[in-house]
Amino acid sequence: MKHSIAALVLLSASSAATAGGVHSGGHGAAYSFGEPGKPQEVTRTLEIKATDDMKFLFEPFGIKQGETIRFVIVNTGKLVHEFSFGDEASQRAHARMMEKMPGMKHENDPTGVSLTPGETKELIWKFSKPINGKVVLACFHANHHLAGMTASVDFQRTRTN
């Protein structure tokens, strides 16, 4: 109940987060790294495995501005995990929020999912905006990121003349 009330207060404090139907903490309708994608726009699908040895397993990849990516996340372990992505600033904000609300689940969040053991979920994201730095993947559930459950991937900006 305590976490639900805190989450409700945070969501109502940000009209962008309320409009987007997601939790706050750097996320909302005005994302600095793109927007939710549509299935018909997907340019490639990437499978990410979340493991109990606090790793994300995946084939190496980079992301180009303009791509719409379907992330298929599989929890191969016996622990609950989270998969969240964003630019470096939004992920720092997400980590701070999860420290304050460690049991929070990701419902209707286009940039993150909570996964029970054996569960598979998908996220589709259009990387339409330029990012300074890398795209960060992380599990903030129970501070798994502090145990190494984080990764970063290169982002290639589209050149404009």
Side-chain angles (χ1 to χ4, degrees):
M1 177 85 171
K2 183 177 177 183
H3 293 304
S4 298
I5 291 170
L8 182 60
V9 169
L10 283 171
L11 285 173
S12 63
S14 169
S15 60
T18 303
V22 300
H23 69 79
S24 73
H27 300 307
Y31 296 92
S32 60
F33 51 93
E35 66 261 354
K38 298 176 183 153
Q40 65 272 20
E41 297 174 338
V42 170
T43 55
R44 71 183 157 135
T45 299
L46 301 170
E47 183 174 303
I48 314 275
K49 293 179 182 173
T51 69
D52 285 350
D53 61 350
M54 302 302 144
K55 303 250 184 271
F56 287 121
L57 301 178
F58 53 87
E59 293 294 322
F61 67 90
I63 297 172
K64 295 179 184 172
Q65 185 178 344
E67 282 191 290
T68 300
I69 296 177
R70 173 179 296 147
F71 294 97
V72 177
I73 309 94
V74 181
N75 182 348
T76 63
K78 296 181 181 179
L79 300 173
V80 171
H81 290 293
E82 168 187 289
F83 174 80
S84 172
F85 67 88
D87 61 9
E88 293 164 340
S90 69
Q91 289 294 64
R92 280 191 302 273
H94 188 166
R96 286 190 301 272
M97 180 190 57
M98 291 298 287
E99 286 173 10
K100 294 177 185 174
M101 295 183 287
M104 192 171 109
K105 304 258 188 233
H106 292 278
E107 301 295 331
N108 303 313
D109 181 347
T111 65
V113 292
S114 298
L115 300 138
T116 59
E119 191 170 26
T120 299
K121 291 188 178 179
E122 293 185 5
L123 295 170
I124 298 175
W125 192 258
K126 185 173 185 175
F127 289 89
S128 58
K129 297 178 183 176
I131 295 173
N132 290 320
K134 296 183 179 265
V135 175
V136 178
L137 318 175
C139 175
F140 295 108
H141 180 76
N143 287 321
H144 288 180
H145 69 293
L146 297 176
M149 201 164 188
T150 184
S152 60
V153 296
D154 291 328
F155 182 82
Q156 184 178 354
R157 294 173 69 146
T158 302
R159 297 178 197 254
T160 56
N161 294 336

